[in-house]
Each structure stands twice: as structure tokens, then as C-alpha cells.
Amino acid sequence: MAGTTWLQEIVWLVVNDGDLEKAKQSQVYFRSPFLEFKDLVLNEVGLDLAESMPPPRVIKTHLPVDLVPSGLFTSKCKVNVCDIIDIAFAL
């Protein structure tokens, strides 16, 4: 396991001033959606959840950089990219 969900939770807490009470109100998936996934039970798509969230948003994706919207790299957002080789050596 590479720890992406753990990192997702930590980043969300940093962005939200460590507000644990707010974090307990909903699961990390709803606070920081997985961009390309669809929840088959709730019929929620990560992209739709992300678009409906107020900024600042924390979004998780495993999309290759080539498939990420180009505006992501020209905006004021922060991007964390993990290399598969780094992950392999971490295991």
C-alpha cells in the first residue's frame, strides 16, 4: 500500500486547520473525492463531487499526468505527484 488515502486525509486536515470535528462528519471520500471513480452504491462520481465543493478542494487521482486537465498546472493549486518507482521501493 502506498499510503495515498492516508496522505489524502492529512492534506485535507492541513487545508482545514486540523479540524478533526469537521473531519468526523463525513468520510474522506466525500471531503476529498477520488476524481475518476464512481461510487456504485451512492451513484456519486468523484468529478461531480469535486465540482460541487467550495474551494479550497483536496482531490485524489491516479490519472497519468497526460490525462489531468491542463488548467491544473496553470492555476494556483498545489500538485503532489508520486512516481511508481518510488512506491515500489517503499514497499
Side-chain angles (χ1 to χ4, degrees):
M1 205 178 217
T4 56
T5 303
W6 177 82
L7 182 61
Q8 178 182 13
E9 184 76 68
I10 296 299
V11 170
W12 187 91
L13 285 167
V14 168
V15 168
N16 289 277
D17 299 320
D19 190 343
L20 292 174
E21 293 307 312
K22 188 174 178 183
K24 291 177 186 177
Q25 293 175 5
S26 65
Q27 297 206 8
V28 71
Y29 175 78
F30 296 105
R31 293 180 281 116
S32 175
F34 206 145
L35 191 64
E36 64 270 21
F37 278 15
K38 178 177 181 177
D39 184 304
L40 298 177
V41 175
L42 301 174
N43 201 30
E44 295 281 353
V45 177
L47 180 59
D48 295 337
L49 286 172
E51 288 177 337
S52 68
M53 295 169 62
R57 298 175 188 96
V58 176
I59 301 167
K60 176 179 176 177
T61 185
H62 285 144
L63 290 174
V65 174
D66 297 358
L67 296 179
V68 174
S70 60
L72 183 72
F73 300 103
T74 58
S75 65
K76 293 182 179 182
C77 71
K78 312 286 188 281
V79 179
N80 180 5
V81 179
C82 295
D83 187 335
I84 190 67
I85 294 171
D86 293 339
I87 293 170
F89 281 108
L91 298 175

